[in-house]
Amino acid sequence: MRVVSDGGIGGQERFDGYQRAGRRGAGRRHPLLRVRGRSVAWMPPLLLLVGIAVLDWNTGGEFRVISWIVLVPGISAAICAVWTTAVFAALSLATYYVVDASWPHQYRTGVPDFILVAAGGALAVLACAVRVRGERLMLHMQDVAATTRRAVLRPLPPGWGGLDHAGVYLAADSDARIGGDFYDIQPGPAGTRVLVGDVQGKGLGAVEAAAALLGTFREAGYHERDLTAVAERLESRMVRHREHAMAMGRDEEDRFATAVLIGFPDDDPGAVRVVNFGHEPPLVVGPRGVRRLPPGEGLPLGLGEFSTHGPPPVKRAALGPGETLLLFTDGVTEARDGTGAFYPLAREVARALAADARTAEPRRLVARVRDGTLRHCGGRLGDDTTIFAVRRTAAGPPVESGAASRPRPRLGDGTT
């Protein structure tokens, strides 16, 4: 399980289980053994080299262990760099020759073991080179995945759109950095819009669909004054993306996405507008406790043609001062413990809020839900998971510049 944090919880970080690990650049090898920032990977093979030589010197002639020195470059190949392994291969060969030559002729292991140590050293250097090359390729692919993630799930500046926010993305696949979950904030002349969703399925197809929806949201969320129009643009984009994928020969006929679209209108600071496309309804967390917004009546994005009531309705929900919206994907509510019980999100949040009123702060709230989810499932997530919390800042939404605040013509989303 891989955890990728963003938003207000530590920036671009990755977690393996519960342990933090800094971002590693492509092609940059990090030694396995470090003390105070310095590599000590050379110590185990060096100690083994000295130990074998000392042991052989202090044993009888009938029990020679000097040929075990072939293990030294092998150990070095597993944890050291190529040049370090080559040095240990040479040291092993030289040590073998010196130690073996110090024994009387009848006790020497001779040329056969000398060849064994030489061949073992050469193979160890080759194996180390292959290992380091594989590591560099893996790090490069991780960097490409991280760059893709930053392009799809763009970092959000503090207070973006007049909202305090924090978010975390947890990838169930340990080799992945991004999946079908998506979220974003888009400020505009009609107020700030928030989108959180989950594309059905996994793999590159889900990532492409998420990127397509986010691209449309960033354009329509800014230019469209009516939240219904934004919702219609998202539905249209999902259908067109699926048609394009099928025309390319990919089997995405059943691809869809659940999502919740939220508007923070400038003219109604005590409420939000919500359009729910079959997604988990958000929780409202604040001084009045924890409550759930009404469930969505709409079908997921991409399935609108099957709806008999048209697009999902826009619902108004009151949002008082200090109240935070907690949005999440089904990876949270479907996290199971060892007995198969689902994670009781609302109950756990209410318990944390009762113990500390500051839990309603976006950073604390997301961290609490993240830790609780991982604890509940023992770090074994069954699905990619997004946890995102937003609330209005005390200062209110930012003032648009003159150019941005003037009405603009509607633009296309710039996609096929």
Side-chain angles (χ1 to χ4, degrees):
M1 184 273 307
R2 182 77 62 173
V3 183
V4 181
S5 174
D6 189 33
I9 312 182
Q12 302 294 327
E13 298 173 328
R14 298 173 185 160
F15 299 83
D16 285 300
Y18 297 102
Q19 301 298 322
R20 294 178 180 264
R23 182 180 178 182
R24 297 179 178 180
R28 182 182 176 188
R29 182 181 177 277
H30 288 248
L32 299 179
L33 301 176
R34 301 177 70 88
V35 174
R36 295 183 179 178
R38 295 181 178 274
S39 173
V40 293
W42 50 271
M43 289 189 65
L46 179 61
L47 293 175
L48 182 62
L49 175 70
V50 174
I52 291 175
V54 172
L55 182 63
D56 184 80
W57 182 262
N58 289 278
T59 57
E62 293 79 9
F63 184 72
R64 298 291 311 283
V65 297
I66 191 61
S67 58
W68 294 4
I69 209 167
V70 72
L71 297 175
V72 172
I75 297 297
S76 178
I79 60 177
C80 297
V82 176
W83 283 109
T84 305
T85 302
V87 169
F88 275 112
L91 283 176
S92 299
L93 195 61
T95 302
Y96 172 87
Y97 178 80
V98 171
V99 173
D100 193 51
S102 66
W103 282 85
H105 180 75
Q106 65 270 25
Y107 295 123
R108 295 178 185 176
T109 56
V111 175
D113 282 3
F114 181 85
I115 296 175
L116 173 66
V117 174
L123 291 175
V125 173
L126 178 61
C128 184
V130 172
R131 192 203 90 234
V132 170
R133 181 179 179 182
E135 286 180 354
R136 288 177 175 171
L137 178 60
M138 178 189 67
L139 291 173
H140 176 70
M141 295 304 296
Q142 289 178 354
D143 194 65
V144 170
T147 302
T148 302
R149 173 186 170 271
R150 289 176 63 87
V152 177
L153 300 179
R154 61 181 180 178
L156 300 173
W160 183 237
L163 300 178
D164 287 329
H165 61 83
V168 65
Y169 169 75
L170 297 81
D173 185 354
S174 61
D175 295 326
R177 295 297 183 277
I178 188 172
D181 287 6
F182 56 91
Y183 59 91
D184 202 2
I185 298 175
Q186 180 57 58
T192 299
R193 276 74 184 263
V194 175
L195 179 68
V196 172
D198 181 9
V199 177
Q200 174 266 337
K202 298 181 182 294
L204 184 59
V207 177
E208 290 177 344
L213 290 172
L214 284 174
T216 298
F217 168 71
R218 289 161 186 166
E219 291 301 312
Y222 180 86
H223 293 287
E224 299 288 357
R225 303 194 67 86
D226 188 356
L227 199 64
T228 301
V230 180
E232 291 174 348
R233 291 273 293 273
L234 289 171
E235 170 66 26
S236 174
R237 185 68 186 100
M238 187 66 198
V239 172
R240 290 187 294 118
H241 172 79
R242 190 172 59 199
E243 291 174 349
H244 176 266
M246 293 173 62
M248 293 295 294
R250 299 201 297 268
D251 184 17
E252 297 200 14
E253 184 177 0
D254 298 327
R255 180 83 68 184
F256 62 86
T258 64
V260 58
L261 173 64
I262 298 179
F264 289 81
D266 293 340
D267 57 359
D268 191 3
V272 292
R273 304 289 192 271
V274 183
V275 181
N276 195 314
F277 295 93
H279 196 77
E280 294 275 356
L283 295 180
V284 180
V285 183
R288 294 185 292 174
V290 178
R291 69 181 190 276
R292 192 182 301 271
L293 292 184
E297 300 176 357
L299 294 176
L301 292 167
L303 303 180
E305 59 183 315
F306 300 107
S307 174
T308 59
H309 305 289
V314 178
K315 295 186 176 182
R316 181 184 183 276
L319 193 66
E323 289 190 322
T324 300
L325 278 180
L326 175 63
L327 303 100
F328 47 90
T329 56
D330 56 10
V332 175
T333 54
E334 294 182 2
R336 297 172 182 260
D337 62 11
T339 65
F342 293 110
Y343 178 58
L345 174 62
R347 187 181 69 193
E348 291 298 317
V349 171
R351 180 183 302 172
L353 186 64
D356 185 357
R358 295 178 301 171
T359 300
E361 298 174 5
R363 288 172 58 92
R364 293 175 179 270
L365 182 57
V366 170
R368 178 78 184 200
V369 175
R370 177 197 64 195
D371 295 343
T373 302
L374 292 175
R375 212 167 26 241
H376 184 77
C377 66
R380 297 182 297 274
L381 291 171
D383 195 5
D384 293 345
T385 301
T386 291
I387 308 165
F388 196 56
V390 293
R391 72 176 178 185
R392 292 184 185 272
T393 61
V399 179
E400 294 282 344
S401 65
S405 60
R406 290 195 296 268
R408 296 191 181 190
R410 290 186 178 183
L411 302 179
D413 55 29
T415 50
T416 58

